[in-house]
Amino acid sequence: MSERLEDIAAAMVADGKGLLAADESSGTIKKRFDVIGVESTADSRRDYREMMFRASEAMTKYISGVILYDETIHQKAADGTPLVDIIKATGAVPGIKVDAGAKPLAGFPGDTITEGLDGLRERLADYYKLGARFAKWRAVIDIDVSKGVPSATSIASNAHALARYAALCQEAGIVPIVEPEVLMDGAHDIDTCYEISKATLTKLYAELYAARVALEGTILKPNMVLAGKKSGKVSSPEEVAERTIKLFRETVPAAIGGIAFLSGGQSDEEATANLNAINAIGPHPWKLTFSYGRALQAAPQKAWGGKAANVAAAQAAFAHRAHMNHLAALGQWQPKLEQAA
Ligand code: 13P
């Protein structure tokens, strides 16, 4: 495969393909395993992820790349094959989460700043040698308007960190996924999500420009514009699509490599229906696909339950969600296809 950043980025958003976000930290994957009653050990985490990477139907047809966690990029399958080699054999690009997590922003209660810039140049060089050709850094913007969250300082600090990260990635020959996630956990309405997302993306692209990041060699991983979970409202796919595309037209340069959404706590089917509605109102200046964690993995996790006997059923569940999201990335999904499964 070409090693040019813009070619890697283009492959990541190839028609009908999207990213599998399998980069849960050890703390997060433990929470997921607790739900299915599986003890989280290095081996169980390996077995679980190997199950997905060996789901050849899903991987070869629908998955363009996999975001890994530090532990996983170093791990070998049960038969000794590096997991990275299994991913590469499917044609998908291995990627790596490089941020060190969102920490409280000093002086701004309720706001966070994502850490991990110190030593990043050296870590990126190591990850490149291990086969990573893209990376991910997630900034977290919560919304709690009554408490003044997010502050302008939080938005600016996170955008600056994302730009420094992106420049270091490109220096290392790695495509940066820039992820400024405006959380959907709050009680806010869709207008507030739109306004905060607009402020966030406007600042982000100003910082990427100032940091001399080549936009063609970047992927944006954004939230969709929708009402917060605690608002008691569910935005319709048509409303989500209209607001999200309006926002991007106002703030996201056409030059970027592409857009791959996070699912952020939407149900599996919501995440698919919303992506589909977004693509159905195209054409758009960018490719818009998925980079889902929970919305791709919740079903296979449940089907797997930590048992080798369930591997085929879990792979089938993964293939189904990947197929549905493949159709949504093309604007060709229909609700009745869910029932057919
Ligand atoms: P979700 O799709 O579960 O939001 O995870 C995507 C991700 O990588 C968040 O950083």
Side-chain angles (χ1 to χ4, degrees):
M1 202 185 96
S2 162
E3 294 273 296
R4 294 194 328 157
L5 292 174
E6 53 267 52
D7 295 335
I8 297 167
M12 290 164 68
V13 295
D15 281 337
K17 288 192 173 187
L19 301 163
L20 166 63
D23 60 324
E24 300 84 0
S25 64
S26 297
T28 301
I29 197 77
K30 183 181 180 309
K31 279 190 226 154
R32 307 277 185 262
F33 279 13
D34 284 347
V35 174
I36 55 169
V38 174
E39 193 192 347
S40 182
T41 64
D43 279 354
S44 66
R45 294 190 288 271
R46 190 273 314 276
D47 289 347
Y48 168 64
R49 286 163 171 153
E50 181 178 349
M51 175 277 290
M52 285 189 293
F53 308 157
R54 285 199 194 273
S56 55
E57 152 113 8
M59 291 291 297
T60 55
K61 287 193 184 161
Y62 312 129
I63 301 296
S64 58
V66 181
I67 316 176
L68 300 167
Y69 184 58
D70 179 73
E71 175 185 70
T72 320
I73 201 171
H74 290 96
Q75 269 176 329
K76 291 191 168 72
D79 70 1
T81 314
L83 293 180
V84 168
D85 290 353
I86 295 174
I87 293 168
K88 281 199 220 158
T90 68
V93 185
I96 181 77
K97 182 230 294 289
V98 300
D99 68 67
K103 307 287 158 63
L105 179 63
F108 293 85
D111 278 330
T112 61
I113 177 72
T114 297
E115 297 188 343
L117 287 169
D118 289 355
L120 181 57
R121 175 176 275 132
E122 292 73 24
R123 289 195 293 128
L124 286 166
D126 289 344
Y127 287 137
Y128 186 93
K129 283 189 209 133
L130 287 166
R133 290 299 176 270
F134 70 89
K136 178 189 110 172
W137 178 289
R138 173 174 175 257
V140 182
I141 307 292
D142 202 358
I143 302 182
D144 189 348
V145 176
S146 67
K147 299 208 170 89
V149 172
S151 63
T153 302
S154 158
I155 290 175
S157 307
N158 277 295
H160 185 73
L162 276 164
R164 284 191 59 201
Y165 141 81
L168 283 163
C169 284
Q170 293 194 331
E171 181 190 86
I174 287 178
V175 169
I177 294 182
V178 290
E179 179 178 6
E181 176 173 4
V182 176
L183 294 179
M184 63 177 289
D185 302 340
H188 52 276
D189 58 15
I190 190 169
D191 292 337
T192 306
C193 177
Y194 168 84
E195 288 301 333
I196 304 287
S197 301
K198 185 168 176 175
T200 300
L201 289 173
T202 301
K203 195 71 185 164
L204 174 64
Y205 282 100
E207 289 287 344
L208 289 171
Y209 175 74
R212 300 182 175 168
V213 171
L215 294 179
E216 292 78 1
T218 67
I219 298 288
L220 174 66
K221 177 161 174 165
N223 53 285
M224 295 175 189
V225 177
L226 33 73
K229 276 199 158 171
K230 291 186 202 127
S231 70
K233 296 195 192 85
V234 179
S235 312
S236 71
E238 292 68 31
E239 197 182 3
V240 171
E242 187 268 319
R243 288 325 229 24
T244 302
I245 290 299
K246 174 175 159 57
L247 168 70
F248 291 174
R249 294 188 74 91
E250 290 165 339
T251 59
V252 180
I256 66 164
I259 296 174
F261 289 101
L262 59 97
S263 61
Q266 300 177 58
S267 73
D268 295 359
E269 216 172 305
E270 254 180 286
T272 302
N274 288 337
L275 176 62
N276 185 68
I278 285 167
N279 281 304
I281 59 168
H284 303 303
W286 336 260
K287 295 276 197 69
L288 298 122
T289 188
F290 56 92
S291 174
Y292 291 165
R294 282 162 284 181
L296 274 175
Q297 294 186 61
Q301 265 160 23
K302 209 167 148 222
W304 177 63
K307 297 197 177 67
N310 295 337
V311 163
Q315 288 176 330
F318 173 42
H320 175 66
R321 286 274 36 100
H323 182 211
M324 295 298 102
N325 287 309
H326 150 86
L327 292 172
L330 299 170
Q332 294 170 4
W333 173 83
Q334 291 172 1
K336 67 168 189 252
L337 296 169
E338 299 285 350
Q339 274 76 54

